[in-house]
Amino acid sequence: MVFRKPPDGGWGWVIVLVSFFTQFLCYGSPLAVGVLYLEWLDAFGEGKGKTAWVGSLANGIGLLASPVCSICVSSFGARPVAIFSGFMVAGGLMMSSFAPSIYFLYVSYGIVVGLGCGLLYTATVTITCQYFDKRRGLALGLISTGSSVGLFIYAALQRELIELYGLDGCLLIVGALSLNILACGSLMRPLESSGSPPPEKPCVDKVPDQYFVYHEKGKMVEENISILEKGYVDEKCVNNVPDCKQDSILNKNVLSSINVNEKDTYKKKVVEQTNFCKQLAKRKWQLYLTYWKETVVLFKNKVFSALFVAILLFDIGGFPPSLLMEDVARSANINEDDYYMPLISIIGIMTTVGKLILGILADFKWVNTLYLYVTTLLMTGVALFAIPFAKSYLTLAMLSGILGFLTGNWSIFPYVTTKTVGIEKLTHAYGILMFFAGLGNSLGPPIVGWFYDWTQEYDTAFYFSGFCVLLGGFLLLLAALPCWNACTNQGSKLPPNTYSYKVASS
């Protein structure tokens, strides 16, 4: 498939709209799982660490499977993957309404819903990057706000549905809403070159057709020969009986020679198909080897290597507040009458604002998006250190707003990845980075929950979370400093097809 130049508009805005609603519908419930988390704690009576696995798997398993998701989008396209994933998300949510135990939720809500969300996220980001170049930061910022708006709305919606229909009814209704993803996915038209010739039919499909034509022609020739031979033999038999016997023997010899030729031709066709299958398997193996070689080349880029460490540590420490902030307020004995708005809703609306503002900033030429991303990491670490000192709803609400705004750096993360490795390697590199992000998402909330089960307070857990995020930010800053680039490039050259951030951004 040959892609033409990104139009930076036109049908691209339709892609942005449907990608926004896709992320809204699929990520609304998993990101607002903090509301369900409290209900599951009361329903199943398990520990905080064990119960937190449900939400962490839902948000992490899709990212863990990002390399597989990237391969699926590259092989089948964004539209089929989006439609298939819509069924997965809706089915997983509806199955979760019948969960008899927390372990059933690990599969239905954690794995099925999480994997569907991962496929949808990869599909929306990939097709948006294909349609936009100059306005890519704005486009990615707009579509990524869909999940944040979903977090804001679903936090209040799920709480209201639980009060009206119970936990099971809430999950059934939310699952039914997710079926609208099918309509959004059907509008994700691939960006193809209009003047490109249609793809040739693969050789593996051509061989049966050619053999079929050959077989039909051979059959017709055999019928004609048999008719002529029959008339000739009958005429001979009427005139002279000995000649008839002799001709019949000759005809048998001719027919046997024809059968031998047919067998040789058929064997030849079988050998050709066997060789083709061997060559196809050899090419597939070469593609796998090329994939791993390109992966090694990516990790030789020190900025990319620091980026995967930073995203891993950021998700270990930065994701738990969006899942556990409601329980943090309940553990601090804050009166529910003082609640003006759920803390999760505050995180959601401020994440939307952060994604928009940071996405717009990324489009300015004078803004270094890598340094902007590092700044958000360092500020997130400081805000996490401040959570243990917040003992009122007002201070927790302020910290929730700050953390939500800084979490909006997800909108510029694909932008940073593109500038680091180039658009040609975006799908490959982004899949690897999302794998480590999913690992952090999966481990972060259970670790914080285990800290609480161990110490019966959240202070130690958030000190640990803040340290992880700060460490990742400092490592990425060190790798991106120009002086470090100068020191490491004096004695060695970059390997081929590898890009430093400074070169790619220029």
Side-chain angles (χ1 to χ4, degrees):
M1 184 180 294
V2 179
F3 294 105
R4 64 173 184 263
K5 185 179 180 181
D8 279 307
W11 191 259
W13 295 119
V14 178
I15 297 296
V16 169
L17 181 64
V18 297
S19 298
F20 171 88
F21 280 108
T22 298
Q23 294 201 16
F24 170 84
L25 292 167
C26 74
Y27 275 106
S29 180
L31 289 178
V33 73
V35 176
L36 305 175
Y37 171 76
L38 298 178
E39 299 296 326
W40 287 329
L41 281 174
D42 299 334
F44 299 110
E46 301 288 350
K48 294 181 185 295
K50 184 180 291 187
T51 308
W53 270 110
V54 180
S56 63
L57 283 175
N59 288 276
I61 198 70
L63 299 177
L64 281 171
S66 286
V68 179
C69 297
S70 300
I71 293 173
C72 290
V73 174
S74 300
S75 302
F76 304 105
R79 179 190 287 171
V81 169
I83 293 173
F84 174 77
S85 304
F87 284 110
M88 289 187 63
V89 173
L93 289 171
M94 292 180 182
M95 287 170 55
S96 301
S97 64
F98 304 101
S101 66
I102 198 71
Y103 301 102
F104 187 90
L105 286 173
Y106 289 164
V107 178
S108 62
Y109 197 96
I111 296 178
V112 177
V113 175
L115 185 58
C117 291
L119 288 167
L120 288 168
Y121 182 80
T122 306
T124 54
V125 169
T126 301
I127 196 169
T128 302
C129 288
Q130 290 173 358
Y131 268 87
F132 288 89
D133 183 17
K134 296 180 181 178
R135 298 178 180 176
R136 185 176 294 144
L138 175 61
L140 291 173
L142 288 172
I143 69 167
S144 61
T145 56
S147 58
S148 305
V149 175
L151 169 59
F152 173 71
I153 294 178
Y154 272 72
L157 176 63
Q158 291 186 145
R159 180 172 292 180
E160 189 68 21
L161 290 175
I162 289 172
E163 293 179 359
L164 293 176
Y165 305 105
L167 179 60
D168 298 341
C170 169
L171 290 171
L172 281 174
I173 294 173
V174 171
L177 288 175
S178 299
L179 289 173
N180 290 284
I181 296 173
L182 307 181
C184 296
S186 63
L187 296 174
M188 293 182 182
R189 187 173 66 194
L191 180 64
E192 298 181 16
S193 177
S194 58
S196 60
E200 293 184 358
K201 193 174 183 182
C203 295
V204 72
D205 296 333
K206 288 181 179 179
V207 172
D209 294 342
Q210 293 173 355
Y211 178 72
F212 179 76
V213 173
Y214 163 81
H215 183 69
E216 291 294 327
K217 289 182 179 180
K219 188 176 181 181
M220 292 173 63
V221 171
E222 288 177 6
E223 291 177 353
N224 294 332
I225 292 174
S226 63
I227 292 172
L228 293 174
E229 288 174 349
K230 185 178 180 181
Y232 176 76
V233 170
D234 292 341
E235 184 179 357
K236 282 281 186 181
C237 290
V238 173
N239 296 328
N240 192 350
V241 176
D243 292 340
C244 176
K245 293 181 179 180
Q246 186 177 0
D247 290 341
S248 63
I249 295 172
L250 292 173
N251 290 332
K252 288 181 181 180
N253 294 332
V254 171
L255 291 175
S256 62
S257 64
I258 292 174
N259 292 331
V260 170
N261 292 333
E262 283 183 357
K263 291 179 181 178
D264 293 339
T265 305
Y266 178 74
K267 289 180 180 180
K268 185 178 179 181
K269 293 293 181 181
V270 171
V271 171
E272 289 178 356
Q273 293 185 25
T274 304
N275 291 334
F276 174 77
C277 292
K278 290 181 179 180
Q279 291 177 1
L280 182 63
K282 186 177 180 180
R283 289 178 183 176
K284 289 291 184 182
W285 177 248
Q286 290 176 350
L287 288 176
Y288 292 136
L289 290 178
T290 303
Y291 177 84
W292 289 111
K293 288 179 181 178
E294 290 179 354
T295 303
V296 172
V297 170
L298 284 175
F299 278 99
K300 289 181 179 179
N301 185 342
K302 61 181 176 300
V303 177
F304 179 83
S305 299
L307 196 60
F308 96 86
V309 175
I311 193 66
L312 171 65
L313 296 177
F314 171 74
D315 281 277
I316 288 177
F319 176 68
S322 62
L323 177 62
L324 304 173
M325 192 60 79
E326 295 290 335
D327 193 53
V328 171
R330 188 168 71 173
S331 301
N333 297 322
I334 296 176
N335 191 358
E336 293 185 0
D337 295 335
D338 297 335
Y339 275 49
Y340 300 101
M341 184 183 296
L343 296 176
I344 296 179
S345 296
I346 296 175
I347 293 176
I349 194 63
M350 290 306 297
T351 302
T352 305
V353 175
K355 287 179 177 179
L356 283 173
I357 294 178
L358 293 174
I360 293 172
L361 287 175
D363 284 332
F364 288 107
K365 295 182 179 180
W366 52 270
V367 175
N368 189 313
T369 51
L370 182 60
Y371 291 154
L372 178 63
Y373 183 75
V374 169
T375 302
T376 60
L377 294 183
L378 298 179
M379 294 178 66
T380 300
V382 174
L384 290 171
F385 272 114
I387 290 179
F389 301 98
K391 301 300 180 182
S392 66
Y393 172 80
L394 182 61
T395 53
L396 281 176
M398 292 176 60
L399 288 174
S400 298
I402 294 172
L403 287 171
F405 180 86
L406 296 172
T407 307
N409 62 6
W410 271 101
S411 65
I412 64 173
F413 188 74
Y415 203 94
V416 172
T417 307
T418 304
K419 289 293 184 180
T420 304
V421 301
I423 188 64
E424 298 82 4
K425 299 183 179 181
L426 172 63
T427 304
H428 185 184
Y430 200 74
I432 295 173
L433 293 174
M434 289 301 99
F435 173 83
F436 290 101
L439 185 62
N441 272 348
S442 301
L443 295 177
I447 289 175
V448 173
W450 290 331
F451 269 112
Y452 183 91
D453 293 337
W454 178 37
T455 62
Q456 296 301 311
E457 46 87 16
Y458 279 111
D459 295 356
T460 306
F462 283 107
Y463 289 146
F464 170 79
S465 299
F467 172 77
C468 288
V469 177
L470 284 176
L471 178 61
F474 279 120
L475 288 176
L476 184 57
L477 178 63
L478 180 63
L481 287 176
C483 60
W484 175 254
N485 289 333
C487 293
T488 56
N489 289 336
Q490 282 180 355
S492 63
K493 294 183 180 179
L494 286 172
N497 299 325
T498 308
Y499 307 93
S500 70
Y501 185 82
K502 184 177 180 181
V503 173
S505 62
S506 60

